[in-house]
Each structure stands twice: as C-alpha cells, then as structure tokens.
Amino acid sequence: MSDLQERAQALDSADELAPLRELFTLDDTVYLDGNSLGALPRHVPARLQDVLTREWGELRIRSWGESGWWTAPERIGDRIAPIVGAAAGQIVVGDSTSVNVFKAVVAATRLAPEGRDEILVDANTFPTDGYIAESAARMTGHRIVPVAPADVPDALGPRTAAALLNHVDYRTGRLHDLPGLTAAVHAAGAIAVWDLCHSAGALPVGLDAHEVDLAVGCTYKYLNGGPGSPAYLYVAARHQAAFDSPLPGWTSHADPFAMTPGYAPADGAVRGRVGTPDILSMLALEASLDVWDGVGVEAVRAKSLALTDFFLECVAAYVPEGRVTPVTPAAHAERGSQVALRCEDAEPVMGALIARGVVGDLRRPDVLRFGFTPLYVGFADAERAARLLAEVLAAPAA
Amino acid sequence: MSDLQERAQALDSADELAPLRELFTLDDTVYLDGNSLGALPRHVPARLQDVLTREWGELRIRSWGESGWWTAPERIGDRIAPIVGAAAGQIVVGDSTSVNVFKAVVAATRLAPEGRDEILVDANTFPTDGYIAESAARMTGHRIVPVAPADVPDALGPRTAAALLNHVDYRTGRLHDLPGLTAAVHAAGAIAVWDLCHSAGALPVGLDAHEVDLAVGCTYKYLNGGPGSPAYLYVAARHQAAFDSPLPGWTSHADPFAMTPGYAPADGAVRGRVGTPDILSMLALEASLDVWDGVGVEAVRAKSLALTDFFLECVAAYVPEGRVTPVTPAAHAERGSQVALRCEDAEPVMGALIARGVVGDLRRPDVLRFGFTPLYVGFADAERAARLLAEVLAAPAA
C-alpha cells in the first residue's frame, strides 16, 4: 500500500460522515458525478412505492389533503431551508431551475427601483441562466450586461436593476463571494439573485445571514432528489409582499379553489408556485432529504475541502507533469465541491476513466470534472480516481 | 334488481372497453373524479421501481443516454400525439399546464401578424389560463379580452393576435366547437391556442385535422399520468421554425452540451422544452400510457357519451324533482366526459356522497362534478352513483 493509500485509509477511518455512505445505493464505482446527478438514497424506492400504491392507487384524489400533497412545495422547501441557511417560510419547491430563474429575474426587475434598465449576468454562467435572463430582459425592457463575477462591483451602477450570479461556477468549480457580492449589489441599490445549483448541499450558503434577495437551485445534485427533481425558489421574507411573479399560476392564488377569474396572490412562499405540484418527483425529493437528518452543512463543507485537497494532492503525485492543469482554485475560500482539470484530450480520457470505474464528467471542450459529494464519497475514492486518471493519461492514446 | 340496474348490467356486458378496468387499481368505490386525478394503472409501480433502483440507483448518470431519459419529453409526446390527433414530432412533455400556457400564449403573440394587441380568453376558463394569459399580455404589451367561447366569432377582429380557449369547460363539462372556432380565429388572421386538459383522452381532438396552431394539456386526468404529472405543449409543424419561446431553457438549445453563452433554438418539438426533464414523473406517465395500446379514442368517446347519457337518465329517474339541475349540455356535440349538476347545498351533498363511496368533486359554490373515464368506469357505476346521490338528497339535511 502506497503512502497516499495509507493516508486515505486513515482519513476515512477518522471521517465522522463516513457512515452516511451506507444510506445510499452505491457499488464499487467511484462516483464523482454527484454534482450532476446525486446517488439514490436506499430508502427512496420503498417510499415512492407507498406514494404510488397507497397514496395514488388507494386514496387517489383524497391524498391532496390526507397525504399532504397540496402542502408539499412549502413543506419540502422548509426541509431545504436549513441546508442553505434560510429560516422557514421562504422557500417553495417546484418547476425546473430554468423556470425559477425566470420568476426570480423578472420579479427582481419589479422589486428594483424604477428606471433601472440593466441586469448583470455572470458571463460564465451555466447557460440556461443566461438564456432565460435574456428572455426576461427582452420581456421587461432591460438589457443584459454579461460580466465576470469578480468584475461585478465595477459594473454595478445606477442603471443596475439586478444581478444574477452563480454561487459556484459549474465548469471550474470556483466559489464566488456571495456575502461580498451581495453587499456590493445592495450598495448599488440593486437586487441580488443567486443560483445555488452547485453549492447547496455542499457548503454553507447563508441566504438569510447575507441578506440575499432571491435565489434558485436544483435538487438533483448535492441534494440527491433524483433525475430532474423539482427546483426551488427562495424569496427573502422582506420581499414576499412585493414579489410579483411572471408566472402567477392558480396554485399561487390566495384562494385557489374559489377559482375566481381575478388573480389575488397568496402570502408567503406559496406565491412562488405556478401549476399543480409534481407529486411523484417532489415526494422522492422529500424522502431523499432524510439523509440530512442530524447532518450539519459545516461538517459537510469541512469534509468537502479535505476531499478536494486530497484529490488535488493525489493528482499532483500521480499524474505525469503537464498532462492536466487544475482550473479549480487552490484557495479554500474560492473552491466549491468539485475539481475541474483542464486536459487537452479530455473527451477520450474521461471515456477511458469511466470504463475503469471512475465516473466524472466532461465539460466540452477540455474540462474533466470531478464532483465530491461528502455524504457518500470517501478519501479512498479520491485516491483511486487520481490513480486511475494517471493510468489513463500514461497509456498511449487510442 | 330495478330496470335501470338490469340495463346497466346489459350495457356493461356489451362494453368492449370493460376489460380495461382490470388494468387499473380500483376498489368498490365509484370513482368519478378521474377528470381531476386519473386512477393508477396497475403496472406503474413496478416500472417506477425499476426506474428508481436500476436506472437511477445503478446506472445513475449513464441513464440520461442508456435509459433514454434525455429523449423522454418528445418520445412521450409522440405517445400522446395519436390520442389528440397529432402526427409525431409536434408534442413535447414537460412543465406544468400553467407554464405551457405561458409559452403558448407568448409564442402565439409572436406568431401573430404585427400590430395586433388583443388576446381573447375564454371568460369561463379554468383560472390558471386566465391568470397566466394576463401575465403574458402584460409582458408582451397586449390586452386581454375575456369572451364566452360562443361569442368568440363576434369578438375576433383585426386587433386579435390570439385566442386562448378551453376545449371542454372544467366546470360545466361543455364541449366547445374546436373546428369551428379554430377556423374563425384563422379567418381573422389570428392564432388559436387550445387547452385540452378536459378533453384529451376522453374524446377526439383532431389537432392536425382542424389545423390548431398551439395546444397545451395536462396528463393527470384522462391520461392517468399520476398526481401533478408533466403537461404537454403542441406546436403545429408549420409553426415550429418560428416558435419563439419565452422560456428558452438550455434543454431547448440546438446543441445543449456545447453550453455556449448564446442561445440557438433546436428544431422541432424540442424547442418547447425548458429545463432538465423531470424523469420520475415523466416515466410514470410514459408507463401509464401503455393502457392506450390498441384503444381508439373514437371507441372511448362512444362509451363516454353512452355513460353520461345513462347517468343523466338515472339522475332524472332517481333524484327528487328540482334538487339538481344539469348544467352539462344534453346535446352530444356540446358535451365532454363529465356531468355537472347544479345543487344548492352542493358542498354537504358531495361530502355525504363521498362517505357512501361515490367520489365526485365540487366546484364552489354549487356544482357537483362527476367525471366519467371510459377506460375504467362502467354503467353499473353510473347507476349506483345516481342512486346514492338520490339517497343523499332525500335524506334530511345534516
């Protein structure tokens, strides 16, 4: 056993979160793609079976009340709240991240002081945020200003209505300064909208503490909600009364079953709803969140940084000089829970790595992406991934 | 056995669709709320179990390709297509009905000739369509003109950009003249958007034959997709190239995994997508659609009319004079697949009826609603429902 393998073993033995791995369905694959699709918590299939056979099959329509279907969006939102540092009553679950970006960006322009016509958008954003923000801008008479997050403070001004930023860059794994940038946005009198897809469940977000205005995120990455599970929308309590949704569907009505022709928005998080909640996916997500019982996000963050540090160390030790370049920052304050490595022949390399049982993913054209989910990834996984990556890179090209 | 009970027995014996009931999980309840939540097809839980344990649990991220997750929205759209009279390639599944109404109404205003500023909306529409159309109008600079469907021809004019209409009224069960109204909308040079929530799966729609422009519908009523299962959007092939979505999420991009900052829409039905497809709900819906194999919608319509005729006949025979008034039209050409009865004390009456094992629903303040799903409701169900309704109405008020 090499020195790094011994260290991995010792780190795993000392890891207080290590037993959580047993809560998930995993095999001997090293699964480093939980930042794309989280692994299956073992107990979810049995829960869904009950939802299907008893709640839908036997109770049918009664389940909207008796099985708590109707209130699921806010109930599950309140389960996500502590993970992202929000008090209860501010998060609603439903729709896709893209749809929630639309709600948030349009609503942000309506919360902003009148006469401001610019929306700053992270120039390196996950594309959907940019596409949707562009549509929101077109429909509200604003213009999009693409700007690297570091340059946001300089780009802010009296024309800025809102800024749409990613907490962690999906490609590089760079963690952006949510407290500092939010404060800068506020100093300019604008509204801060954060996309938490790549941070929620991996590190502390502190939505309330940092006075974020609006936020969105998906639940199928570090929250393990299942493929395409519903996203969520956070509207800070102080903005709820003025939150003016561009998608005022019937379930966000103050009295939805009155079915009145005129729209009157509900108070609170409910106002962020649109249509009928997607129950099967939503309740799979709710069950998945059970793995968080008793788990603090600070402990998750500590393990995440230890894991990515160790992986980077193993890569440096094993991989032939010059074959890969980390694009994820070395500084902890700037690192999310993934390691992205630039690699000239990334596509065949990732293919060969997956064939050897290490599942990461590729961001075209040249980024190998390794996501570390602290709930189920261990240090031996990190060592093995780096070792097999080195093997692949040492092999003659196909 | 009464005469009506004997007739019910004979009608059930002669019913070629009667064996389909065995495909569903039902008990001795008379379930007449399939127009709100369709019953569970028996085989769906086993299919979802496989999706959860094998596709998500074992294959994980590989399932986007290997299990056909990525292409599910259009594949399932093509399963719905024959049920609503559409050729393949025009329907995409995803999001809620409300979100699809937003896409369709905004896109309709962009397809309409320039300079038109009115959107006609069914004045009796299911509320969400009206709320969302109002938001779409606000964001596109149009104004909403509420109009009863029968008055649409008179309300159409050179200012009409689009008309948003319900095929079957959710409250009264009235079937509107989709071919005639669509032709009238076209004669005025406008775009016809139809909401099929209460017709798809219960009667022929003929989207292609009647040259409908855009349509939306839910899948949890007569299509039995499960609680809050994803809705669908139909964009007629001739409009696809000009379809300009207000929600251009990344999965509707021509090359989504290139993750380019600029949006370039995909061709075809894919363009109607928004975010990551909601796989669990979507694949439950796909499995549910298996009950349609070999079933023609014309046979379903014939049984639906026979069922609602028979129910109305039983109500007339059993229920004390003057206690209920049908608001569903007697004429077949104007009737969907539900019977709505006006009843002064509708709320306690429905409560008492449900307690006796007949599940319909209530539309406040005074409508008792009975939905007839021809795939699993029989004539004996109709007779029993009318008989127990009469019992409830004859009992002294609580």
Side-chain angles (χ1 to χ4, degrees):
Chain A
M1 195 179 274
S2 76
D3 176 56
L4 285 168
Q5 282 172 305
E6 277 175 21
R7 289 226 352 255
Q9 206 170 57
L11 286 163
D12 279 327
S13 298
D15 173 18
E16 287 178 13
L17 299 181
L20 295 173
R21 182 185 169 97
E22 290 310 308
L23 301 178
F24 293 86
T25 302
L26 291 161
D27 48 28
D28 57 2
T29 300
V30 176
Y31 190 63
L32 302 180
D33 211 4
N35 55 333
S36 183
L37 175 65
L40 170 70
R42 279 186 198 282
H43 65 290
V44 169
R47 169 69 183 121
L48 251 283
Q49 207 58 13
D50 184 57
V51 171
L52 288 161
T53 58
R54 190 178 57 83
E55 295 185 5
W56 176 13
E58 293 175 22
L59 297 176
R60 288 183 289 268
I61 196 75
R62 289 160 51 192
S63 275
W64 282 110
E66 290 179 29
S67 303
W69 288 357
W70 186 260
T71 51
E74 295 77 30
R75 184 177 70 242
I76 304 171
D78 283 347
R79 295 281 302 277
I80 294 172
I83 302 174
V84 293
Q90 301 174 102
I91 296 183
V92 64
V93 171
D95 305 308
S96 64
T97 304
S98 301
V99 168
N100 283 298
V101 168
F102 188 75
K103 294 180 209 170
V105 172
V106 173
T109 66
R110 294 171 177 176
L111 288 169
E114 281 204 31
R116 293 177 173 229
D117 66 350
E118 291 181 353
I119 302 169
L120 306 190
V121 177
D122 181 346
N124 302 310
T125 185
F126 183 79
T128 215
D129 299 55
Y131 306 159
I132 293 286
E134 184 71 50
S135 173
R138 169 185 175 190
M139 296 186 78
T140 56
H142 290 72
R143 71 184 196 94
I144 295 293
V145 181
V147 53
D151 301 333
V152 164
D154 290 338
L156 287 160
R159 296 180 62 176
T160 312
L164 171 64
L165 300 166
N166 294 264
H167 196 191
V168 172
D169 186 285
Y170 77 103
R171 190 182 272 126
T172 64
R174 179 181 290 272
L175 172 65
H176 296 300
D177 176 16
L178 181 143
L181 291 172
T182 302
V185 171
H186 288 170
I191 301 291
V193 184
W194 284 94
D195 180 332
L196 310 177
C197 285
H198 287 271
S199 63
L203 51 91
V205 177
L207 288 176
D208 287 352
H210 306 305
E211 299 185 346
V212 166
D213 300 295
L214 302 164
V216 303
C218 80
T219 63
Y220 46 76
K221 300 183 191 290
Y222 298 107
L223 298 179
N224 313 299
S229 56
Y232 56 90
L233 171 70
Y234 164 89
V235 178
R238 67 187 176 282
H239 290 310
Q240 286 178 338
F243 178 78
D244 182 2
S245 174
L247 295 170
W250 76 289
T251 67
S252 70
H253 195 282
D255 186 4
F257 292 96
M259 301 196 171
T260 53
Y263 179 72
D267 290 333
V270 176
R271 193 177 291 193
R273 291 182 174 211
V274 186
T276 303
D278 191 345
I279 295 302
L280 300 185
S281 293
M282 212 170 265
L283 299 191
L285 164 62
E286 183 174 37
S288 297
L289 292 169
D290 288 351
V291 302
W292 286 89
D293 288 351
V295 177
V297 75
E298 289 74 16
V300 167
R301 173 60 169 166
K303 180 174 172 186
S304 161
L305 287 171
L307 276 171
T308 50
D309 275 345
F310 186 64
F311 178 69
L312 284 164
E313 185 183 342
C314 293
V315 167
Y318 290 148
V319 172
E321 185 82 22
R323 287 291 274 122
V324 300
T325 312
V327 292
T328 304
H332 284 183
E334 295 173 11
R335 190 193 305 161
S337 197
Q338 75 179 54
V339 171
L341 302 175
R342 186 151 284 138
C343 175
E344 208 173 294
D345 44 350
E347 188 156 356
V349 165
M350 184 50 75
L353 199 54
I354 290 171
R356 281 169 165 83
V358 175
V359 178
D361 66 15
L362 181 75
R363 282 296 171 256
R364 287 196 246 154
D366 61 354
V367 170
L368 301 170
R369 211 175 62 147
F370 301 95
F372 290 84
T373 303
L375 299 186
Y376 55 74
V377 172
F379 294 88
D381 293 322
E383 187 276 339
R384 187 169 150 216
R387 185 159 35 87
L388 293 177
L389 174 63
E391 266 183 39
V392 167
L393 290 169
Chain B
M1 196 179 274
S2 76
D3 176 55
L4 285 167
Q5 283 173 305
E6 276 176 21
R7 291 234 340 264
Q9 206 170 58
L11 286 163
D12 279 328
S13 298
D15 172 18
E16 287 179 12
L17 299 180
L20 294 173
R21 181 184 170 97
E22 291 308 309
L23 300 178
F24 293 87
T25 301
L26 290 162
D27 47 30
D28 58 1
T29 300
V30 176
Y31 190 63
L32 301 181
D33 211 5
N35 55 334
S36 183
L37 176 65
L40 170 69
R42 279 185 199 283
H43 65 291
V44 169
R47 169 69 183 121
L48 251 283
Q49 209 56 14
D50 184 57
V51 171
L52 288 161
T53 58
R54 190 179 56 83
E55 295 185 6
W56 176 14
E58 293 174 22
L59 297 176
R60 289 183 288 265
I61 196 73
R62 287 160 52 193
S63 275
W64 282 110
E66 289 178 31
S67 303
W69 289 356
W70 186 259
T71 50
E74 295 77 30
R75 183 177 70 242
I76 304 171
D78 284 346
R79 295 282 300 276
I80 294 171
I83 301 173
V84 293
Q90 300 174 101
I91 295 183
V92 63
V93 171
D95 304 309
S96 64
T97 305
S98 300
V99 169
N100 282 296
V101 168
F102 188 76
K103 296 179 208 169
V105 172
V106 172
T109 65
R110 294 171 177 176
L111 288 168
E114 281 205 30
R116 294 177 173 229
D117 65 350
E118 291 181 353
I119 302 169
L120 305 190
V121 176
D122 181 346
N124 302 309
T125 186
F126 183 79
T128 216
D129 298 54
Y131 305 159
I132 294 287
E134 184 71 50
S135 173
R138 169 185 175 189
M139 297 187 76
T140 56
H142 289 72
R143 71 185 196 96
I144 295 293
V145 181
V147 54
D151 301 332
V152 164
D154 290 338
L156 288 161
R159 297 181 61 176
T160 313
L164 171 63
L165 301 165
N166 294 264
H167 196 192
V168 171
D169 185 287
Y170 77 102
R171 191 183 271 126
T172 64
R174 178 181 290 272
L175 171 65
H176 296 301
D177 176 15
L178 181 144
L181 290 172
T182 302
V185 171
H186 288 171
I191 300 291
V193 184
W194 285 94
D195 179 332
L196 310 177
C197 285
H198 287 271
S199 62
L203 51 90
V205 177
L207 288 176
D208 287 352
H210 305 306
E211 298 184 347
V212 166
D213 300 296
L214 302 164
V216 302
C218 80
T219 62
Y220 46 76
K221 300 182 191 292
Y222 298 107
L223 298 179
N224 313 299
S229 56
Y232 57 89
L233 171 70
Y234 164 89
V235 178
R238 67 186 176 282
H239 290 311
Q240 286 178 338
F243 179 78
D244 182 3
S245 175
L247 295 169
W250 76 288
T251 67
S252 71
H253 194 282
D255 186 4
F257 292 96
M259 301 197 170
T260 52
Y263 180 71
D267 290 332
V270 177
R271 193 177 291 193
R273 291 182 175 210
V274 186
T276 303
D278 191 348
I279 293 302
L280 301 185
S281 292
M282 212 170 264
L283 299 190
L285 165 62
E286 182 173 38
S288 297
L289 292 169
D290 287 351
V291 302
W292 286 90
D293 288 350
V295 177
V297 76
E298 289 75 15
V300 167
R301 173 61 168 164
K303 180 174 172 185
S304 160
L305 288 171
L307 276 170
T308 50
D309 276 346
F310 186 65
F311 178 69
L312 285 165
E313 185 183 343
C314 293
V315 167
Y318 291 148
V319 172
E321 185 82 21
R323 288 290 275 122
V324 300
T325 313
V327 291
T328 304
H332 283 182
E334 296 173 11
R335 190 194 304 160
S337 198
Q338 76 179 54
V339 171
L341 302 174
R342 186 152 284 137
C343 175
E344 209 174 292
D345 44 350
E347 190 156 355
V349 165
M350 184 51 75
L353 200 54
I354 289 172
R356 281 170 165 81
V358 175
V359 178
D361 66 17
L362 181 75
R363 282 298 170 254
R364 286 195 244 155
D366 62 353
V367 170
L368 301 170
R369 211 174 64 147
F370 301 95
F372 290 85
T373 303
L375 299 185
Y376 55 75
V377 172
F379 294 88
D381 294 321
E383 189 276 338
R384 187 169 150 215
R387 185 158 37 85
L388 293 176
L389 174 63
E391 266 183 39
V392 167
L393 291 169

